[in-house]
Amino acid sequence: MNAGVLRFKKAGIILFWLLIWQAASTAVHNSIILVGPLDVILALLNQIRLADFWKTIGFSFGKISLGFLSAFAAGILAGGAACRYPIIGDFLSPLMALMKSVPVASFVILALIWAGSENLSVIIGFLVVFPIIYIQTIAGIKSTDRQLLEMADVFKMSEAKRFFYLYRPALLPYLASGCRVALGMSWKSGIAAEVIGVPLHSIGEKLYLSKIYLNTADLFAWTLVIILLSALLESFFLWLLSLASPGIRQKKKEVG
Amino acid sequence: MELVIRKLCKSFGGHFVLDQVNLHLVSGNIYCLMGPSGSGKTTLFHILLGLVSADSGEVNGLNGERISAVFQENRLCEAFTPVENVTMVMPSSGNNKRKAREALKRLLPDESLDRPAVTLSGGMKRRVAIIRALMVPFDMVIMDEPFTGLDEETKQQVITYIKEQSAGRLVLISTHQEEDVQLLNGIKIHL
């Protein structure tokens, strides 16, 4: 099946579900319980014209991205340190178990008490993403080919060369798969935190207001915005990671 | 350089792979280590490379000497090109790329030099591994069945290259083929 037919098939499937959605909303005939896709698009178009819409997007996107990026950097550093010095891994182990098992809602309430609502999504994004990246980093480093490491010992390769040529290619697929999970999680938990903490000019606040005013169209419109922003950040970040993959120049040459 | 091995023993799970091995090797010679599969050639090489420790015996003459190697497996970084695979082990210098490219051109077609190693044939990968071993400064080079996967013509080219690049140094090669000893002007030793 060629690409054009595949795209056509995909578009047809999406259109089918949109029609089902529109038919269901028409049948329900209650804009509080279920709005149709046309109402959602209208609500979104109404929002897009407002400066507050872009300010809200900027706020939540910035905070959640900051939480994700800081956790990404910290997770790699901590994972690398834990592989180099196992004692660090031993010390971090209970902390990781705690971060993985404590419900996000508990963290949200604690973060609200300790830091207020302004940076809530940064903190929650960090707490959710950090253990994922930490675990993936350790798994990636441990997957490095042992025979290549012996080769590096025999040829007395420097630490920098070992990282660049041996660890990096082993690590990147693990980081990419970790990022796919972590990015979605950071958005879900970050927005959930904003709904609980209701920081001003956040997407969470807008969702909260939609609930208060029973404005289902706005709720759906903001949900659509969240999905788009999450997909955008994921595509951009995975593209950045792919640039760090070995062989990218060769692939480009082959394509060119 | 003079390498003296005395009463070297190594066993795995109670089975002796090396039992009282004695060797005396001197720079300027190519030694061809002969022996059937499982006779301990690779284990001996791994002991000399410091990857495995011996159970007992002595290895003298390796203090401070630079050892290079062609492993039984190619052990190339498959995502990187032949040029990168060679330069990554060379001591840092401004013209490593040019030197590596010139060396690789002697044994490999031009078009293969900038392709990821994963796309090369088994014989090409073997040649990259051999060139890599000979492009670093060394006093002794160990080659574990370096001619695997090479046709006769390529083997001749590789042997000429090895002899040229290792002149005056100690070369220890494992092989199953008696004719390789003559081609290398080597000294046959048995395990």
Side-chain angles (χ1 to χ4, degrees), chain A residues 147 150, chain B residues 12 17-18 33 35-49 51-52 70-73 75 142-145 174 176 191:
Chain A
Q147 289 194 335
E150 285 181 355
Chain B
F12 292 105
V17 179
L18 297 174
L33 191 61
S37 296
S39 59
K41 299 188 293 292
T42 299
T43 304
L44 174 65
F45 288 169
H46 283 188
I47 290 171
L48 295 177
L49 290 170
L51 302 176
V52 171
V70 176
F71 297 91
Q72 196 171 47
E73 319 80 15
R75 303 201 185 189
I142 287 169
M143 298 187 170
D144 199 348
E145 299 182 20
S174 73
H176 292 291
L191 260 190

Side-chain angles (χ1 to χ4, degrees), chain A residues 146-148 150-151 153-157 161 164-166 168-169 246-247 249-250 253-254, chain B residues 49 51 67-69 71 73 75-77 79-81 84 87-90 114 116 132 136:
Chain A
R146 197 181 55 81
Q147 289 194 335
L148 288 182
E150 285 181 355
M151 179 277 290
D153 286 340
V154 167
F155 288 109
K156 298 186 170 47
M157 281 171 72
K161 281 185 172 178
F164 189 80
Y165 291 111
L166 309 184
R168 183 178 60 116
R249 279 171 288 121
Q250 284 76 30
K253 270 183 196 168
E254 280 161 25
Chain B
L49 290 170
L51 302 176
I67 308 181
S68 186
F71 297 91
E73 319 80 15
R75 303 201 185 189
L76 299 179
C77 295
F80 294 93
T81 66
E84 287 167 323
T87 54
M88 73 173 69
V89 299
M90 293 168 75
D114 296 308
R132 178 180 66 184
V136 293

Side-chain angles (χ1 to χ4, degrees), chain B residues 104-125:
Chain B
L104 286 160
K105 272 183 181 173
R106 290 193 53 184
L107 298 179
L108 286 147
D110 270 12
E111 58 82 26
S112 66
L113 304 191
D114 296 308
R115 277 163 43 191
V118 70
T119 65
L120 303 180
S121 69
M124 284 177 172
K125 287 180 186 176

Side-chain angles (χ1 to χ4, degrees), chain A residues 151 154-155, chain B residues 49 66-71 73-76 82 85-87 89-91 103-104 107 125-144 146 161-162 165-166 169-172:
Chain A
M151 179 277 290
V154 167
F155 288 109
Chain B
L49 290 170
R66 298 163 302 180
I67 308 181
S68 186
V70 176
F71 297 91
E73 319 80 15
N74 295 312
R75 303 201 185 189
L76 299 179
N85 267 282
V86 174
T87 54
V89 299
M90 293 168 75
L104 286 160
L107 298 179
K125 287 180 186 176
R126 202 70 189 136
R127 279 172 271 169
V128 175
I130 290 166
I131 291 165
R132 178 180 66 184
L134 297 171
M135 285 300 287
V136 293
F138 66 91
D139 301 300
M140 174 186 182
V141 62
I142 287 169
M143 298 187 170
D144 199 348
Y161 183 76
I162 291 172
Q165 297 299 314
S166 64
R169 266 84 60 95
L170 203 167
V171 183
L172 182 56

Side-chain angles (χ1 to χ4, degrees), chain A residues 88-153:
Chain A
I88 293 178
D90 295 342
F91 269 97
L92 286 176
S93 171
L95 200 65
M96 290 301 147
L98 192 78
M99 285 167 92
K100 282 192 290 179
S101 54
V102 171
V104 175
S106 307
F107 276 136
V108 172
I109 292 160
L110 272 176
L112 261 175
I113 295 166
W114 290 339
S117 66
E118 180 76 4
N119 291 310
L120 194 57
S121 46
V122 180
I123 298 168
I124 297 306
F126 182 93
L127 291 172
V128 167
V129 172
F130 180 71
I132 299 172
I133 300 298
Y134 172 82
I135 288 164
Q136 290 296 96
T137 300
I138 290 176
I141 290 174
K142 284 188 175 168
S143 77
T144 307
D145 190 330
R146 197 181 55 81
Q147 289 194 335
L148 288 182
L149 292 173
E150 285 181 355
M151 179 277 290
D153 286 340

